[in-house]
């Protein structure tokens, strides 16, 4: 099974933010870190915010259906009543999500320091007036 670009970018955004918990990031920063389109990320970040995964702040829709017949309308497939593909793909999607359900974003970023170096994030740099938990006030 292949992830959609939308899902791929969603995971990248979550990983980027999880590498530096409590810090804000711009779409431009994420796009630059992963060398991806800002226009695509705008849609992804908007969706993640609407779903409650991100707290979006204004400043300067989940995954796609696996096949047409999985959409809300059921699609316009002429063989749908006799097609076995929907059952096979349904089983594959269930297995796919079962594996993903075993992990959290934290599992994906337990190597935060290495990811930060790769994404050019300085974990020790703090915005003016910021306070990192456990650090000096």
């Amino acid at each position: 099974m292949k992830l959609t670009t939308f899902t791929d970018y969603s995971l990248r955004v979550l990983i980027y933010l999880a590498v530096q918990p409590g810090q804000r990031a711009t779409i431009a920063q994420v796009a630059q870190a992963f060398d991806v389109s800002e226009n695509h990320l705008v849609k992804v970040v908007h969706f993640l915010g609407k779903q409650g995964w991100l707290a979006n702040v204004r400043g300067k829709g989940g995954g796609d259906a696996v096949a047409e017949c999985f959409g809300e309308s059921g699609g316009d497939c002429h063989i749908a009543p006799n097609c076995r593909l929907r059952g096979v793909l349904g089983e594959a999607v269930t297995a796919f999500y079962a594996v993903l359900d075993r992990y959290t974003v934290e599992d994906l970023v337990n190597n935060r320091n290495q990811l930060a170096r790769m994404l050019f994030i300085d974990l020790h740099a703090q915005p003016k007036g910021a306070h990192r938990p456990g650090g000096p006030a």
Side-chain angles (χ1 to χ4, degrees), residues 3-92:
L3 292 178
T4 64
T5 302
F6 191 91
T7 302
D8 178 27
Y9 285 8
S10 296
L11 291 169
R12 291 179 192 219
V13 168
L14 293 173
I15 288 168
Y16 186 94
L17 294 171
V19 167
Q20 49 180 357
Q23 300 296 312
R24 289 186 180 176
T26 65
I27 290 172
Q29 290 170 322
V30 177
Q32 181 179 1
F34 289 109
D35 193 24
V36 298
S37 163
E38 284 187 44
N39 290 332
H40 291 335
L41 284 182
V42 168
K43 296 172 191 171
V44 168
V45 168
H46 177 71
F47 174 81
L48 291 173
K50 283 179 64 175
Q51 297 301 309
W53 286 85
L54 299 180
N56 296 349
V57 178
R58 268 199 190 275
K60 164 177 171 162
D64 296 330
V66 173
E68 180 182 358
C69 58
F70 279 75
E72 285 184 32
S73 68
D76 189 26
C77 181
H78 299 292
I79 67 167
N82 296 304
C83 181
R84 294 183 179 164
L85 180 60
R86 181 179 172 127
V88 171
L89 290 178
E91 185 179 340

